[in-house]
Amino acid sequence: MSSSTSSSSSSSSSSFAFSSPSAPHPLAPYGWDAAWEAEFAPYAAQGLLAGRVVRADRGQCDVVTADGLVRADTAFVTPHDPLRVVCAGDWAAVDPDGTPQYVRAYLPRRTAFVRSTSSKRSEGQILAANVDHVVIAVSLAGELDLNRIERFLALAWESGAQPLVVLTKADLVPDPVGLSYLVQDVETAAPGVQVLPVSSATGEGVDVLAAVVAGGTSVLLGVSGAGKSTLANALLGEDAMAVQAIRDVDGKGRHTTTTRNLLLLPGGGVLIDTPGLRGVGMWDAGTGVGHVFSEIEKLAEECRFHDCAHQAEPGCAVLAAIEDGTLPERRLDSYRKLLRENQYIVAKTDARLRAEIRKDWKRKGAQGRAAMEAKRGRVS
């Protein structure tokens, strides 16, 4: 495929009309539509080439365009801001020719999956852009970690995309009843989310998953050993992604995908495969947390006090639900933990919120001291 093209050909490719069904835009399989075309119009007028980023690494990226694959430098797109760097899934405006070619801009993102980095600076890291589905791969080779699933889901909802939990290696649970219980456990932790058991070895559920992801762009996420690369190969119908052996002792494996890659699926749609994630830190995902724990937030509306902390307050509907067994205590513990973590991350980048948190701590401390003094008075 050609890595460069003339200015005139790039302009005609970028403004290719969607009105002719017999001649679809060459980038249509990658998600290009009339709305993206309208967004790109100012760049087309400058003679820039439209393309989708299929891979980004070390200040450069591969961009698929109407005229072929382009290797472009990203130095002009504020690379020092982790949330503004070019990433897989972006729609980019690229120089039509030159050595090297540059990404001059990327179009505003419709959705973005962001997590906090493991650095002490607590920066956000964008993993994928313009995705319609977040596919969370969870292996059935080991014990389910529902708290981790909830963490992934909070970030997925916050991204603006629709989450989907895929339970991989379903063939390792041959008992249908046992498998159904595992699905139910995950469904409890993932309200409003489809939970799909899949086996790349037997093909179970792969056709259903392929039908879901055929409708747009999907990003595949999960920890090491979750079976993401094997699942990607099953969807692609070929061994496009390398697969490493998994240790029998703990069901874990080494990272087989080292960069985020956007892959065109034979059944329609595109898939962004990602490396196994060692950590999934919260990043300003308060709305996402509320979505994952929607039943708790709905119960909280019935509490006697609007600022109920669900600790020991009288008339707390959340604690009442735990007492009568309708709400698992694990869910409340996970909810509190994610809220605290998210508040901490947001506070590190928001001075006003830090001040509010300190004020709240002082208020609660004063209340605690007053309660202790009252208790001592009653004792004496």
Side-chain angles (χ1 to χ4, degrees), residues 4-347:
S4 63
T5 182
S6 68
S7 176
S8 60
S9 66
S10 66
S11 178
S12 63
S13 297
S14 300
S15 58
F16 201 102
F18 274 81
S19 58
S20 174
S22 60
H25 194 286
L27 291 176
Y30 289 89
W32 184 260
D33 57 27
W36 286 124
E37 184 179 26
E39 288 270 9
F40 193 80
Y43 301 106
Q46 300 172 32
L48 295 176
L49 190 62
R52 192 159 199 194
V53 178
V54 297
R55 173 176 172 162
D57 60 287
R58 298 184 181 181
Q60 292 189 313
C61 63
D62 294 331
V63 185
V64 61
T65 73
D67 296 293
L69 192 66
V70 171
R71 183 70 170 170
D73 195 295
T74 62
F76 284 98
V77 197
T78 55
H80 300 298
D81 183 342
L83 293 180
R84 297 181 65 189
V85 297
V86 173
C87 72
D90 273 325
W91 285 101
V94 185
D95 287 332
D97 49 30
T99 304
Q101 291 175 267
Y102 287 94
V103 172
R104 296 294 174 173
Y106 60 80
L107 298 184
R109 293 158 175 162
R110 294 178 182 174
T111 62
F113 188 96
V114 180
R115 67 163 179 175
S116 69
T117 64
S118 57
S119 70
K120 294 182 180 180
R121 291 176 294 179
S122 298
E123 296 175 333
Q125 178 190 26
I126 182 166
L127 299 185
N130 302 313
V131 297
D132 302 291
H133 299 97
V134 175
V135 181
I136 302 166
V138 179
S139 173
L140 291 177
E143 186 176 352
L144 286 176
D145 188 338
L146 297 179
N147 292 348
R148 180 187 288 153
I149 293 174
E150 289 161 345
R151 178 181 294 270
F152 268 108
L153 287 170
L155 293 172
W157 282 120
E158 193 70 33
S159 75
Q162 172 67 44
L164 166 68
V165 178
V166 174
L167 302 180
T168 65
K169 308 178 186 180
D171 54 291
L172 299 181
V173 187
D175 177 21
V177 176
L179 181 59
S180 69
Y181 285 144
L182 292 173
V183 171
Q184 289 175 17
D185 287 344
V186 177
E187 287 176 339
T188 300
V193 176
Q194 182 178 4
V195 179
L196 180 64
V198 169
S199 170
S200 300
T202 66
E204 175 190 355
V206 174
D207 56 340
V208 178
L209 178 59
V212 172
V213 299
T217 299
S218 302
V219 60
L220 184 56
L221 300 170
V223 299
S224 299
K228 297 185 306 301
S229 295
T230 305
L231 185 58
N233 286 336
L235 291 170
L236 289 164
E238 58 185 27
D239 291 338
M241 310 304 294
V243 178
Q244 296 277 7
I246 303 300
R247 298 195 297 262
D248 291 334
V249 64
D250 56 10
K252 295 181 180 179
R254 289 181 289 176
H255 298 294
T256 56
T257 302
T258 56
T259 59
R260 290 174 282 281
N261 302 282
L262 188 146
L263 310 165
L264 195 61
L265 297 174
V270 292
L271 180 71
I272 300 175
D273 191 23
T274 64
L277 301 176
R278 291 187 176 89
V280 192
M282 302 299 291
W283 180 259
D284 197 5
T287 301
V289 172
H291 211 133
V292 176
F293 299 93
S294 55
E295 82 277 29
I296 295 179
E297 300 218 331
K298 186 175 181 180
L299 284 168
E301 295 175 359
E302 302 174 12
C303 291
R304 181 182 301 176
F305 304 107
H306 75 278
D307 60 346
C308 183
H310 321 306
Q311 297 284 356
E313 296 86 346
C316 176
V318 175
L319 295 180
I322 289 178
E323 283 291 325
D324 64 25
T326 56
L327 176 66
E329 189 169 0
R330 185 205 65 79
R331 287 279 286 171
L332 180 58
D333 290 340
S334 181
Y335 175 65
R336 287 169 172 161
K337 181 178 180 180
L338 292 184
L339 280 182
R340 285 196 303 269
E341 181 180 337
N342 190 70
Q343 186 181 53
Y344 172 77
I345 290 295
V346 173

